[in-house]
Amino acid sequence: MPYNLEQLGPTGFQDLAAALVVHTFGAGVQSMGAGRDGGRDLYYKGQLVWQKTDEQAGEVWDGYTVFQVKHKERLSARPADDANWLWGHVFKELEAWADPSKGRNPVPDYLVIITNVPLTPVPGSGGHDVLNENIQRYINSLKDASRDVGEAAERKAKFARISRLRKWRLWDGNQIQVLLNLYPGVRQAFPGFLTAADVFANLAEVAGSLPLEQLEPGLRAHARTTLIGEGTIYFDEAGSGEGSGLPVHQVAIDLPVTLNGGAQRGSVIQYVLDRGEHMLRPKLTTRRGPRHLIVAGAPGNGKTTISKFLVQAYRAAMLAGASELSTEHQAVIFGMGQALQRLGRTLPRHRRWAMRIDLAEYAHEHGFEEDSTLIRYIAERVSKRSNLGNVLPRALLSWMKRWPWFLVLDGLDEVTDPTVRKRLIERVTELVTNAEADDCDLFVVLTTRPIGYTENIAPTQFERIDLDYLEPDQAVRYGTLVTSVRLRNDLDRIEKVVRQLNKAAEDEALRNLLRTPLQVLIMTVIVGAAGRLVPDRFSLFWGYYDIVLRRERDKQTSFNRILQEHGQQIQQLHERVGFELQARSEAGDRSNATLTHQELENFTWEVLHEAGFKPSGADSELRNKIVAAATRRLVLIAPRGDEGYGFDVRSLQELMAAMHLTAGPPDVVIPRLRIAALSPHWRNTWIFAAGRLFSTPQDHEHKALVELVESIDDGAYARLGNVVPIGPRLALDLIDDGMARSLPKWRNRLIACGLRVLQEPTPPDLLAIARILLRFADTGDEQRKTVAEGLRDALSGSQTARMTAGNFQTLVRPVAKEIHSRPETKGLAKVLQRPGAGTPPAPSDGWADFDEEIATFPLPQDTLNKVMAAVTAIRRIREIGEAMAADEKDALAVFDALADDQGAQALAAALQHVAAHEPFLVAELRDDILPVVHRAAVGELLR
């Protein structure tokens, strides 16, 4: 059959051309990829052997051969027009090589033009012969001195260069079709490009010996069903409480990302789709480096919305033009095309079968099962959505070997149980390594929050990119988009909201609220309801809850009296449910925690009983009405199918959990926060809780919180708080949240604590730290001087601190450019150590003191045995250094000693002697071993 070469697009066609050339001439052919290539899409130096064909004799080209790829996206009805188009492009290339001023060196000895344009074969007048004649005529024209009109030197210079071109050949669209038939291995690497639009109608052609009776109905039904059922988001989920779900393509925006550790910036949709177009089977792709992506983003940064949008884009591309589509299917495909056009894209040309997996659901259903693989789980999901019987894992695996896949694994951060998380990561690594071994065209995107992500999953397979905060103009554009969708034809309200957003973007105190799509959306809800904006995140989210409650309370519905008279009890119900779900989701089998209807009623009973009502007697009907009001009007606690009830937006769950944690006097609240501070799972809740304390005018609460941050690592032996502190990062989180902006005495103490992070071995999150410190420094001269002093302390300190501070300074200029800082802030890159400080002497080898501490620390024999095993492990970790991560047995030995109170004290005291001059050891403890301790479930301790 003829292959659709136009569908490939320029990028795909260049990859196809590269695959065909490499397959024909061997791996010595160099593919240049995207970017300025000096006219070299591919090149080869040396002897290039042509095989004899019916049309051309075999020969050997010995020299420098360049392959030029020219793709025309739409072919004309007149072949002569396409041939003229191709000659125009070839002429420009010849001119560029001939012109000495263009700097294209060297000029090739041989040239191969590869194009999808089919050239007609008519002798003498056909496109093939005409193009060859045009090339020869161009060279002859430069040789012809009779054409000189005072420009002989220029002509001679051009001819001297282009005359180096000895021979050329054309691979036109007809030749490409022949080569694809000749090389089935290459053809099978591009099924998503080359197969007809209705993939399933041609399944037999691309699936070989697949058991189609098992696979085809399931995949067809799954693709069509999920195109409609999984491409919807609810503004209820994202904070408006209004209306029904909307297609994700109506409200998704591209989000900024940081690449290569902060060296580059881009946008996530563009980056992912570009990667998906270039990735082929591992044995044929010309792209080097990690194949898959980890997208890390802060709470509310749009990870799930983006993942849904990307999956929908691939589903729409796969089904576009297919048969058996309803009007609704066609409308979604058309809408996705329009959304991508708004972003400067088209539907993906490289069709991939797409699937999104909620990792919390996977962990909930199969987290403790040894034999559960991701392929098996995907087969289960496909079977459930098709209603056509089971799709067997082996059939799905066969499909992956034959057809390109796009797989999103969403929400690694929601899997917190260390055992389940480890097993899940093993399953992910197993999937991608097996796919590579089987030469599958699989492209995986995994999403997570950055806090708590320390595993550095399969670095040869995964590249990490970080979602960045929205810039003010991006935030206003997004706010305008979602407001227009949400309010539809209410032009006056839309104008009011957009006007207020623009004012917020110009207000330095409010600008920090315009950072994430969720926060922008909540701002539009608040200003649309004439609410007041307060410049910290807790007040923003709590203001949203208050707006929703007041809005529903004022409506003339059957629930308005309940909401008016029992708003306090409804709030307490939300707080208890939020805390309960946050605590339950720590458990390995409850990552996707929900409450049953009965449990929800039980919590309501407790709230009413404590308030003096009689929920089992006279007030039993009140209990039912409160549950209905909470789940059907406020829609923060939403039904999750047959599973029960939960918060669809985790940030709102964490907000309510924070309200529960901070209910009580400081002598109750502060110990709770001391426990919760360690856990990445509770970090966003902790920040909300701190925000609530700072939002009150109670100075003693502010003081208690700041003192907690300053002392959080004191006596924290079980997590080696004296060696690997968490206090500096907590302080920076509070600074960046903006809650202490207007309270200088607490702000200054927090930033002083936060700057201690520069004394650590260079942390993996240094880019995030640099952003926080530079945003803070940019808010005023005093703040900038504070950061400069912290840098001077580090630059005048230990070798470890000097290295970290130096690495920080290399990030100052790119981060300052990214945040559009004042010129003075950029000067932090040039801060020097204190005058006269010199280089402090290297600390003495503390290992003798380390051994002395262990030998003299009074320990019972059983504890001593554990500590000595940990000491052996620590020394082994130190010897390994940067070469590799700690062995699992060594990590377990350290965990075992830290689990013993006396053993933990002994290790903490001993490590204090060596931490200053063992940066690799400290970094290994911080990044690879202690995160497991940090993830220990703490929910039960907070009750």
Side-chain angles (χ1 to χ4, degrees):
M1 67 176 184
Y3 305 107
N4 186 358
L5 302 180
E6 290 68 63
Q7 160 69 22
L8 286 153
T11 298
F13 185 72
Q14 182 161 330
D15 286 341
L16 175 67
L20 288 171
V21 171
V22 170
H23 207 76
T24 302
F25 298 111
V29 177
Q30 177 65 51
S31 175
M32 300 303 292
R36 298 181 61 182
D37 53 23
R40 305 170 300 165
D41 292 322
L42 304 102
Y43 70 86
Y44 185 86
K45 292 182 178 179
Q47 288 191 347
L48 191 144
V49 181
W50 289 91
Q51 294 182 0
K52 182 178 179 181
T53 67
D54 292 340
E55 296 181 0
Q56 293 177 305
E59 59 181 309
V60 176
W61 286 2
D62 192 357
Y64 174 46
T65 302
V66 166
F67 299 83
Q68 267 280 337
V69 182
K70 300 297 177 186
H71 181 267
K72 193 170 191 286
E73 295 205 42
R74 289 184 180 85
L75 296 182
S76 168
R78 297 180 67 247
D81 292 342
D82 294 329
N84 289 336
W85 173 90
L86 179 60
W87 164 238
H89 282 269
V90 173
F91 174 77
K92 289 178 182 177
E93 298 292 345
L94 293 173
E95 278 279 270
W97 270 309
D99 189 344
S101 67
K102 299 296 184 182
R104 279 195 177 184
N105 293 306
V107 175
D109 301 307
Y110 305 97
L111 176 64
V112 181
I113 306 296
I114 305 175
T115 181
N116 67 313
V117 171
L119 299 173
T120 54
V122 181
S125 61
H128 187 276
D129 286 357
V130 168
L131 188 62
N132 276 305
E133 290 173 4
N134 285 344
I135 295 173
Q136 188 62 61
R137 188 179 298 114
Y138 172 79
I139 296 172
N140 292 341
S141 70
L142 294 177
K143 183 179 181 180
D144 187 359
S146 66
R147 301 189 178 207
D148 292 347
V149 184
E151 298 179 352
E154 179 181 346
R155 177 190 59 75
K156 289 179 179 179
K158 284 187 173 184
F159 178 70
R161 289 175 59 83
I162 204 64
S163 62
R164 298 173 195 168
L165 182 61
R166 305 177 201 169
K167 291 186 178 182
W168 58 88
R169 284 198 183 190
L170 305 176
W171 278 8
D172 71 336
N174 299 314
Q175 180 71 8
I176 299 299
Q177 298 278 350
V178 170
L179 291 172
L180 286 172
N181 287 327
L182 186 63
Y183 301 135
V186 175
R187 182 179 71 249
Q188 290 166 9
F190 290 80
F193 281 121
L194 299 173
T195 304
D198 193 343
V199 172
F200 297 108
N202 296 280
L203 196 61
E205 297 173 8
V206 298
S209 60
L210 276 177
L212 297 182
E213 71 283 355
Q214 297 177 15
L215 186 63
E216 188 270 341
L219 290 178
R220 181 192 294 271
H222 180 269
R224 291 187 312 202
T225 301
T226 53
L227 183 71
I228 303 300
E230 295 184 6
T232 304
I233 65 167
Y234 295 87
F235 277 119
D236 314 40
E237 298 177 5
S240 79
E242 296 181 5
S244 59
L246 290 168
V248 67
H249 59 257
Q250 290 189 11
V251 293
I253 61 166
D254 208 354
L255 299 173
V257 290
T258 304
L259 314 167
N260 298 329
Q264 290 179 264
R265 293 200 17 111
S267 61
V268 63
I269 290 176
Q270 304 285 352
Y271 197 74
V272 172
L273 291 180
D274 283 343
R275 176 71 62 92
E277 297 290 72
H278 279 286
M279 278 301 167
L280 306 171
R281 293 182 181 275
K283 293 180 181 177
L284 278 175
T285 187
T286 58
R287 193 190 178 283
R288 298 293 176 260
R291 181 181 189 88
H292 311 288
L293 293 173
I294 293 172
V295 178
N301 227 358
K303 298 182 294 296
T304 295
T305 299
I306 286 294
S307 71
K308 287 186 175 182
F309 180 86
L310 289 167
V311 167
Q312 283 294 93
Y314 276 107
R315 285 177 180 149
M318 188 167 186
L319 291 172
S323 61
E324 300 180 21
L325 295 180
S326 69
T327 302
E328 189 175 4
H329 290 126
Q330 293 170 358
V332 172
I333 293 170
F334 178 75
M336 280 301 311
Q338 285 192 313
L340 287 165
Q341 187 175 9
R342 171 165 50 89
L343 300 175
R345 306 284 310 199
T346 60
L347 287 174
R349 295 178 181 275
H350 191 4
R351 298 184 185 91
R352 294 178 179 273
W353 183 73
M355 185 76 177
R356 176 179 168 271
I357 298 297
D358 185 321
L359 290 178
E361 291 182 7
Y362 172 74
H364 174 70
E365 295 180 26
H366 297 288
F368 285 109
E369 296 177 10
E370 290 284 352
D371 61 346
S372 174
T373 67
L374 281 168
I375 289 293
R376 187 182 300 276
Y377 181 65
I378 293 169
E380 291 177 12
R381 291 285 305 278
V382 172
S383 299
K384 288 178 181 178
R385 297 305 297 269
S386 69
N387 294 321
L388 292 171
N390 289 331
V391 172
L392 298 179
R394 66 173 180 269
L396 207 58
L397 187 59
S398 296
W399 172 245
M400 187 171 73
K401 292 178 180 179
R402 291 167 169 80
W403 187 264
W405 277 28
F406 176 64
L407 182 62
V408 172
L409 306 176
D410 192 23
L412 175 65
D413 54 288
E414 296 192 48
V415 182
T416 59
D417 181 276
T419 301
V420 175
R421 186 181 176 94
K422 178 185 175 185
R423 182 169 293 129
L424 174 60
I425 290 171
E426 289 173 351
R427 296 293 174 266
V428 173
T429 304
E430 172 188 277
L431 174 70
V432 297
T433 53
N434 286 344
E436 180 181 21
D438 290 336
D439 201 30
C440 299
D441 185 358
L442 171 67
F443 177 29
V444 176
V445 172
L446 183 149
T447 75
T448 186
R449 288 183 181 181
I451 292 176
Y453 172 70
T454 59
E455 288 87 358
N456 195 23
I457 299 171
T460 60
Q461 297 276 9
F462 282 92
E463 172 193 359
R464 173 174 167 172
I465 62 176
D466 288 83
L467 289 176
D468 199 0
Y469 289 142
L470 295 172
E471 294 187 0
D473 61 328
Q474 293 174 313
V476 171
R477 285 200 302 272
Y478 177 66
T480 302
L481 173 66
V482 295
T483 301
S484 299
V485 172
R486 189 166 58 86
L487 300 182
R488 296 180 174 87
N489 298 321
D490 194 341
L491 300 182
D492 290 339
R493 286 181 68 194
I494 292 172
E495 182 183 358
K496 172 189 172 184
V497 171
V498 173
R499 185 169 61 249
Q500 292 300 317
L501 282 177
N502 279 294
K503 286 184 179 180
E506 296 170 0
D507 187 327
E508 184 178 322
L510 295 176
R511 198 179 299 144
N512 72 311
L513 297 181
L514 294 167
R515 289 180 174 177
T516 70
L518 178 58
Q519 290 175 202
V520 172
L521 176 56
I522 288 177
M523 285 185 72
T524 67
V525 175
I526 292 175
V527 300
R532 186 172 68 94
L533 293 174
V534 180
D536 68 88
R537 203 163 61 97
F538 167 79
S539 298
L540 176 73
F541 278 74
W542 192 249
Y544 157 70
Y545 175 80
D546 186 57
I547 288 290
V548 172
L549 180 63
R550 285 192 286 112
R551 182 191 62 207
E552 296 301 328
R553 187 181 59 205
D554 295 339
K555 288 181 178 179
Q556 296 302 311
T557 69
S558 59
F559 293 102
N560 67 332
R561 184 176 176 183
I562 293 293
L563 294 170
Q564 289 169 1
E565 297 179 359
H566 299 282
Q568 182 177 355
Q569 286 76 47
I570 290 174
Q571 175 184 322
Q572 290 174 350
L573 176 62
H574 278 81
E575 293 173 9
R576 293 197 182 194
V577 170
F579 174 82
E580 182 65 25
L581 293 176
Q582 187 71 8
R584 287 189 182 188
S585 58
E586 284 186 299
D589 60 344
R590 291 185 173 186
S591 297
N592 193 37
T594 57
L595 293 178
T596 66
H597 191 275
Q598 183 61 55
E599 287 175 319
L600 194 56
E601 286 190 343
N602 292 344
F603 276 112
T604 308
W605 190 97
E606 291 176 7
V607 169
L608 290 173
H609 180 72
E610 291 173 7
F613 293 96
K614 297 178 180 179
S616 296
D619 298 311
S620 60
E621 185 61 25
L622 175 61
R623 179 186 63 185
N624 296 333
K625 289 181 178 180
I626 287 179
V627 170
T631 57
R632 288 157 57 186
R633 293 309 308 171
L634 294 185
V635 296
L636 301 186
I637 302 173
R640 289 186 176 177
D642 297 333
E643 297 177 354
Y645 295 87
F647 285 84
D648 285 320
V649 175
R650 187 149 61 113
S651 289
L652 296 177
Q653 173 182 300
E654 291 163 331
L655 171 73
M656 292 302 171
M659 293 294 293
H660 183 78
L661 282 182
T662 52
D667 61 340
V668 172
V669 171
I670 295 301
R672 288 176 181 166
L673 295 185
R674 183 177 293 276
I675 294 170
L678 178 66
S679 170
H681 177 70
W682 289 87
R683 182 62 56 83
N684 199 36
T685 300
W686 191 93
I687 295 171
F688 274 134
R692 186 189 186 188
L693 297 184
F694 263 114
S695 70
T696 68
Q698 304 298 320
D699 197 59
H700 69 283
E701 292 188 349
H702 307 162
K703 180 175 183 289
L705 182 65
V706 172
E707 289 178 346
L708 167 65
V709 173
E710 292 173 330
S711 65
I712 193 79
D713 297 304
D714 297 345
Y717 305 118
R719 58 176 174 83
L720 301 178
N722 61 326
V723 177
V724 182
I726 66 167
R729 283 171 177 76
L730 293 177
L732 292 178
D733 284 340
L734 301 191
I735 286 290
D736 201 41
D737 201 71
M739 61 186 72
R741 177 185 294 268
S742 59
L743 301 167
K745 69 175 180 179
W746 306 126
R747 179 199 70 197
N748 293 343
R749 284 175 63 171
L750 286 171
I751 194 63
C753 180
L755 284 166
R756 295 196 327 238
V757 77
L758 298 178
Q759 305 294 327
E760 295 181 14
T762 300
D765 56 344
L766 187 61
L767 176 61
I769 292 168
R771 286 176 172 152
I772 293 173
L773 289 176
L774 262 68
R775 280 194 290 263
F776 174 78
D778 205 49
T779 58
D781 291 340
E782 181 184 348
Q783 292 90 320
R784 176 174 51 81
K785 290 176 182 176
T786 299
V787 175
E789 288 302 304
L791 264 175
R792 287 192 182 93
D793 287 340
L795 291 167
S796 304
S798 67
Q799 182 178 355
T800 296
R802 294 198 305 274
M803 179 176 295
T804 299
N807 291 334
F808 171 88
Q809 287 186 298
T810 64
L811 294 172
V812 167
R813 290 193 177 280
V815 171
K817 181 180 179 181
E818 170 190 317
I819 67 173
H820 308 291
S821 74
R822 299 180 300 159
E824 295 87 346
T825 303
K826 298 176 183 176
L828 292 171
K830 297 182 179 180
V831 168
L832 303 175
Q833 64 178 203
R834 299 192 183 284
T839 301
S844 60
D845 185 346
W847 285 101
D849 294 328
F850 175 96
D851 292 334
E852 180 70 14
E853 191 76 55
I854 296 295
T856 59
F857 206 98
L859 296 172
Q861 188 60 47
D862 183 55
T863 300
L864 180 60
N865 293 340
K866 296 177 184 177
V867 169
M868 293 309 298
V871 166
T872 301
I874 287 170
R875 286 188 174 278
R876 190 179 297 117
I877 293 169
R878 179 220 180 196
E879 292 169 3
I880 292 173
E882 291 184 291
M884 62 183 69
D887 182 84
E888 185 174 354
K889 291 181 180 179
D890 289 336
L892 289 173
V894 175
F895 296 150
D896 198 27
L898 292 178
D900 185 300
D901 289 342
Q902 291 178 290
Q905 290 185 46
L907 276 185
L911 284 168
Q912 189 68 47
H913 294 293
V914 299
H917 61 282
E918 292 288 352
F920 297 146
L921 172 61
V922 173
E924 185 66 27
L925 291 170
R926 178 192 64 200
D927 302 335
D928 291 329
I929 294 181
L930 290 175
V932 176
V933 177
H934 296 170
R935 289 196 189 97
V938 298
E940 291 302 320
L941 302 176
L942 298 173
R943 293 187 187 279

